[in-house]
Structures are given as structure tokens and as C-alpha cells.
Amino acid sequence: GAVVSQHPSRVICKSGTSVKIECRSLDFQATTMFWYRQFPKQSLMLMATSNEGSKATYEQGVEKDKFLINHASLTLSTLTVTSAHPEDSSFYICSAGVSGETQYFGPGTRLLVL
Amino acid sequence: GDSVTQMEGPVTLSEEAFLTINCTYTATGYPSLFWYVQYPGEGLQLLLKATKADDKGSNKGFEATYRKETTSFHLEKGSVQVSDSAVYFCALSAGGRRALTFGSGTRLQVQP
């Protein structure tokens, strides 16, 4: 099946710094990728839809200036958490689809902001 | 808005036991329903899906039937194995959106 990778798998940073997370589709092209956030023992919550060559679409309540998304190619989307704070600590997961409804998920990135 | 409710875990079973993980949903229109599985250290993988009422999704011995009247999509397996130990997520997509709405996940632990 299709493979989606994320990098890094785990990152620890100081409060006030920015962190970039990459999501790559390894063996297929994805015009649309999705970014989710998961708090401990809670659901995955959709943050935004990343569209290749255009602006991302953010869910209600997600700050677009805080969570910058760039989908510069058909195989790469990046999520940058700007001026990170401890409350941004979470598990970030991306997904991409080839067609239809089936989504392929990356392994996730655990962010810890000190 | 759309939502998915799953039974809380962890669910601990002995090998060869019968498994049921309950999932109910609320959604506008006619959603597609999914079960995803996440093995330790790996990304979510699609386990099975159903796109319309009374459809049964099945894979690897797991089954779930789309019940519109009870808005449910319960996951079942007749005989679990240790290798089935993972976190299981029920999810839906509705309204033409490809993005998914997830339940909170249920951790299954199967003991030999």
C-alpha cells in the first residue's frame, strides 16, 4: 500500500522557538494532505487541509498564523509550529490520499515544548 | 457537527476470545464509516470500511456492519490473536469531505 512518512518522529524544543514537521508521500502523489492533532487518550482532531499549490484550509479554532502549512510539491507538506508554547505539546499526524476516501497516515510526530 | 463515540479501553482479552468494540456516530447525511488500526510505533492503517447502510466491511477476520437505524459500526472478531494488540479507531467521513472524524480510540491487549 501507499506509504506516508513524517520527520522528525519526536522533537523537544524550548518555548518560543519554531518547529517544522515534514510529511511525505513516498510512492504516490498527493494533491491533498491532512494534518491532525492528538492529545493523550483523545481523538485525532483535524487541524487543516493542505492543498498543493494553494493556501491551506484551517478548521475552526486553529490559528493559521500559529500553524503554518506549506504544500510546495505533490509529495511534501510541512507544518511549522511557530513560537511554540507548552500547550502546543501534542502528537501531530498527517495523512494523504490517492483517490476516493482511503487515507494513508504517517507515523506521527511527538512534540514536547519545554 | 459530526462525531464518533467509542468504548473506552483498554480492552484486555485472552487469545482466541471474541472481540467487540462498540462505535456509534452522529453525522449529517450518509457518512462512510471506517475502522483504522494503529500498531505500536506505526501509523494508522485502514482495517475496513463501509460506505452505505447494511454494508459489511471485513478484513483479517475483523468485521463491522453499517447500521443506520442504530447509527453504529461495531467492530467484531471471532478469535483474537496476540498480534491483534493495537489501538483501534472508528472514523467517518461525511458531506463530501475526505477528512476524517475520529473516535477516541480503543486499546486492545491480547494475552497469550
Side-chain angles (χ1 to χ4, degrees):
Chain A
V3 178
V4 175
S5 70
Q6 280 185 243
H7 178 80
S9 58
R10 182 187 297 263
V11 57
I12 301 173
C13 69
K14 293 182 179 180
S15 185
T17 61
S18 294
V19 174
K20 179 184 286 188
I21 302 170
E22 293 184 348
C23 176
R24 293 182 184 273
S25 56
L26 297 185
D27 49 4
F28 66 98
Q29 294 182 330
T31 55
T32 302
M33 293 183 175
F34 301 95
W35 286 96
Y36 296 84
R37 180 174 181 178
Q38 184 180 27
F39 292 101
K41 298 184 180 180
Q42 295 188 29
S43 298
L44 281 75
M45 302 298 296
L46 179 67
M47 298 175 64
T49 301
S50 172
N51 303 298
E52 189 268 336
S54 64
K55 292 182 179 180
T57 305
Y58 290 83
E59 295 299 297
Q60 190 173 8
V62 177
E63 300 175 59
K64 61 181 181 181
D65 295 331
K66 173 76 171 177
F67 299 99
L68 299 179
I69 291 173
N70 186 316
H71 194 154
S73 78
L74 289 171
T75 59
L76 174 64
S77 175
T78 60
L79 169 67
T80 301
V81 183
T82 62
S83 187
H85 288 91
E87 58 267 29
D88 299 323
S89 298
S90 192
F91 196 54
Y92 294 88
I93 302 172
C94 71
S95 75
V98 178
S99 63
E101 297 170 315
T102 300
Q103 293 291 305
Y104 298 94
F105 286 81
T109 297
R110 188 165 299 283
L111 170 64
L112 176 61
V113 184
L114 302 177
Chain B
D2 301 338
S3 68
V4 176
T5 303
Q6 287 181 238
M7 59 189 293
E8 290 191 18
V11 173
T12 303
L13 296 173
S14 298
E15 206 165 21
E16 299 184 1
F18 184 85
L19 168 71
T20 299
I21 300 178
N22 290 337
C23 171
T24 57
Y25 66 90
T26 58
T28 53
Y30 301 95
S32 294
L33 302 174
F34 306 83
W35 276 101
Y36 279 82
V37 58
Q38 186 174 32
Y39 298 104
E42 299 183 17
L44 276 74
Q45 302 173 25
L46 178 65
L47 180 60
L48 52 85
K49 68 177 183 180
T51 58
K52 61 183 187 296
D54 299 325
D55 268 3
K56 177 185 285 187
S58 61
N59 185 25
K60 299 181 181 179
F62 291 90
E63 293 183 340
T65 301
Y66 189 143
R67 301 288 188 197
K68 189 172 183 297
E69 63 276 14
T70 54
T71 61
S72 65
F73 194 54
H74 304 321
L75 182 68
E76 296 182 335
K77 186 174 185 181
S79 176
V80 294
Q81 305 299 313
V82 173
S83 57
D84 294 327
S85 298
V87 180
Y88 293 81
F89 292 90
C90 186
L92 67 82
S93 67
R97 280 162 57 98
R98 293 171 63 193
L100 297 168
T101 299
F102 283 90
S104 57
T106 303
R107 182 176 298 278
L108 170 65
Q109 299 173 334
V110 181
Q111 299 175 336

